[in-house]
Amino acid sequence: MIRKTKAACQIGMYGLGPMGRSLALNFADHGYSVATYNITADLTWQLMNVPGLPSLVTPFFNEKDFVAGLKQPRTVMIMVKSGAPVDEVLDRLLPLLDPGDVIIEGGNSDFRDTARRLRVVNEKGVMYIGSGVSGGEEGARRGPSLMPGGNVEAWPVVREMLQSIAARNPKGQACCEWIGPEGAGHFVKTHHNGIEYGVMQVIGEVCWILRAMGMTNDEIADAMDGWNVRMKAFLLEITSEVLRARDDDGSPLLDHVLDVAGAKGTGAGTVVSALDLGQSVNILAAGVAARLMSTNRKRRIEIHELYQLPEPKLPGDPKEWTAKLGQALEAAFALAYAQGFTTLEEASLQYNWKLNLPQIASIWGGGCIIRADILNEISAAFVKEPMLDTLLVAPAFVECIRKGVPALREAVSAAVLGGLPVPALNSALSNFDSMRSPNLVSASVIALLRDLFGAHTFKRNDRPGAFHRNWGKV
Ligand code: 6PG
């Protein structure tokens, strides 16, 4: 059944995978006429056969007709796999577009790719927006958090459409605001994902600790629900859901899930781009590293058989530990979010993006994967002090971390003594212990080592200047 195009469509959706399809339906739900196209017609037909499909959705089966079906100046949203597929689509689409048209690319693209594509597209007079889209398929369908950046002159053209489909945060504000120039939108999305990786690893480790103490999945889910009354974190909410999930035979699904966690690359992108800015994101990096280590399962089994060490079993009363682990989790969350925002601050300064950090915290307050009550504190902290270089000195964070670190220390110690790997919790604790230390002896040792083998000089703590000692080696 092919619908006649009643009028030129207000937006085109190029790419009808789960995200593109959901966004197309979301736009139609909000009264926008949507032209849809997918390089293989199967997904187009799949969309057209969605029960109760809004009449505002029109399918097209070739790119020329797709572009011709759009009201001018045109707006096309591209939702395809990040990387080369985006360039391939642009190569085909650009010759069909005119000056004044707008392309919105909503995949998990690298911010440097976005900046490059923007320059190429602008040569044709077409405007380019690289937008983070967070919230998964459900978010895309019901209300994502959107992080548009690129040609700011395109923002008035698309603002109403994007804000209409976006989620609302607890204050009722649209979870979509202009992020900044070049690839700023995709950079912010990448670092949203970096925080996601770190926090998911923290959650996984807390679950493992409680399991090693003898708690059942349902009991851990109950603990998560208890903590979440205060934390209001989406990731805790869905952790409780996956812990309670049952397999076909009624047994806990989690117990049948292979211990391998995938990663499509945004976590690694976070770590590399943070290091490029001279920022340590050791908690977020621990989340990336833990996933990579999980993939090498065959080798892990071999090493297990070689060393013959017992499975981690932790002593202690799980009920008593529940309160402690809740405090430890909350402190580790705070430290992970703080690392993410410090990198955003540094990117804003070094790339001259003028990022609005309170606004970023606000548009992450709904729709996105890392939505949680802590974002209200973060937004308020940056409103109070826009150039705050670390949230570790923000009063709300000081209170949470001061209360949670003793519990975090106890939890990490118990896990380490029980042979249970807790790279993210441990990184959070070490991050705090480093950041609160007035005398990092390890750094002084490294400074002298570098001077001995590389004559890199060292500074003194009793007088200014750079010094080199004659070590008598040459
Ligand atoms: C989001 C998610 C999403 C996620 C992909 C790939 O904000 O909706 O972060 O974009 O990145 O589902 O997940 P991994 O990065 O874990 O592979």
Side-chain angles (χ1 to χ4, degrees), residues 19-20 31 51 78 103 131 147 194 201 233 337 341 422 442:
M19 295 297 285
I78 300 174
I103 294 174
S131 180
M147 296 147 256
Q201 181 63 24
Y337 280 77
F341 274 87
V422 284
S442 48

Side-chain angles (χ1 to χ4, degrees), residues 107-124:
N108 276 330
S109 293
D110 181 289
F111 75 105
R112 287 162 290 224
D113 287 343
T114 301
R116 167 179 55 81
R117 290 165 181 150
L118 177 143
R119 288 191 292 275
V120 170
V121 165
N122 286 178
E123 282 166 17
K124 173 119 192 198

Side-chain angles (χ1 to χ4, degrees), residues 63-82:
E63 284 150 350
K64 270 207 172 75
D65 292 352
F66 169 70
V67 171
L70 293 172
K71 182 167 74 68
Q72 291 186 288
R74 307 178 188 91
T75 299
V76 181
M77 188 162 195
I78 300 174
M79 291 303 290
V80 297
K81 260 171 68 66
S82 56

Side-chain angles (χ1 to χ4, degrees), residues 379-411:
S379 191
F382 282 112
V383 165
K384 197 164 160 227
E385 208 177 321
M387 298 311 286
L388 190 62
D389 64 311
T390 172
L391 285 159
L392 296 194
V393 300
F397 273 62
V398 170
E399 186 194 339
C400 159
I401 291 169
R402 188 174 274 148
K403 194 169 70 180
V405 160
L408 182 58
R409 199 176 303 283
E410 272 193 70

Side-chain angles (χ1 to χ4, degrees), residues 129-410:
I129 292 177
S131 180
V133 179
S134 181
E137 187 176 353
E138 187 188 1
R141 181 71 186 84
R142 305 268 174 255
S145 172
L146 298 169
M147 296 147 256
N151 291 123
V152 66
E153 56 274 28
W155 179 228
V157 177
V158 302
R159 176 177 192 150
E160 189 188 314
M161 274 198 283
L162 293 185
Q163 289 189 332
S164 70
I165 69 161
R168 286 334 187 237
N169 68 16
K171 291 178 184 153
Q173 298 157 327
C175 294
C176 171
E177 286 295 350
W178 188 255
I179 298 294
E182 300 164 352
H186 277 140
F187 183 95
V188 166
K189 173 56 169 69
T190 298
H191 286 258
H192 160 279
N193 283 27
I195 294 170
E196 180 187 300
Y197 276 57
V199 163
M200 287 171 73
Q201 181 63 24
V202 163
I203 290 171
E205 290 171 12
V206 167
C207 289
W208 194 356
I209 288 173
L210 287 172
R211 277 282 291 274
M213 287 182 174
M215 256 190 172
T216 66
N217 295 339
D218 284 349
E219 288 169 338
I220 300 170
D222 291 342
M224 290 277 164
D225 291 343
W227 299 332
N228 215 22
V229 169
R230 174 184 158 79
M231 293 177 70
K232 300 187 181 61
F234 173 68
L235 280 170
L236 287 186
E237 180 191 323
I238 60 173
T239 299
S240 175
E241 191 176 337
V242 302
L243 285 167
R244 297 184 196 280
R246 286 290 180 273
D247 203 3
D248 301 344
D249 63 1
S251 60
L253 175 62
L254 179 68
D255 298 354
H256 305 287
V257 175
L258 192 66
D259 58 336
V260 173
K264 287 185 185 162
T266 49
T270 298
V271 177
V272 170
S273 55
L275 291 174
D276 285 346
L277 290 162
Q279 293 307 308
S280 160
V281 287
N282 69 321
I283 306 168
L284 318 189
V288 180
R291 294 197 192 187
L292 296 176
M293 270 189 274
S294 78
T295 55
N296 201 345
R297 190 163 198 282
K298 183 172 171 295
R299 182 56 92 186
R300 285 192 281 118
I301 302 298
E302 287 163 7
I303 292 171
H304 166 71
E305 278 149 17
L306 182 64
Y307 283 86
Q308 289 296 314
L309 292 171
E311 278 293 289
K313 282 262 176 294
L314 301 187
D317 167 12
K319 297 289 179 219
E320 183 201 306
W321 269 90
T322 298
K324 268 185 217 167
L325 280 170
Q327 290 174 345
L329 181 84
E330 199 163 340
F333 258 59
L335 290 157
Y337 280 77
Q339 284 193 346
F341 274 87
T342 293
T343 305
L344 294 183
E345 172 93 63
E346 196 56 32
S348 186
L349 292 170
Q350 292 193 33
Y351 298 139
N352 194 25
W353 283 344
K354 300 182 178 57
L355 297 182
N356 183 332
L357 295 183
Q359 201 167 68
I360 290 170
S362 168
I363 66 171
W364 284 354
C368 76
I369 303 291
I370 65 168
R371 60 189 187 265
D373 194 59
I374 191 174
L375 286 157
N376 293 323
E377 306 289 1
I378 292 172
S379 191
F382 282 112
V383 165
K384 197 164 160 227
E385 208 177 321
M387 298 311 286
L388 190 62
D389 64 311
T390 172
L391 285 159
L392 296 194
V393 300
F397 273 62
V398 170
E399 186 194 339
C400 159
I401 291 169
R402 188 174 274 148
K403 194 169 70 180
V405 160
L408 182 58
R409 199 176 303 283
E410 272 193 70

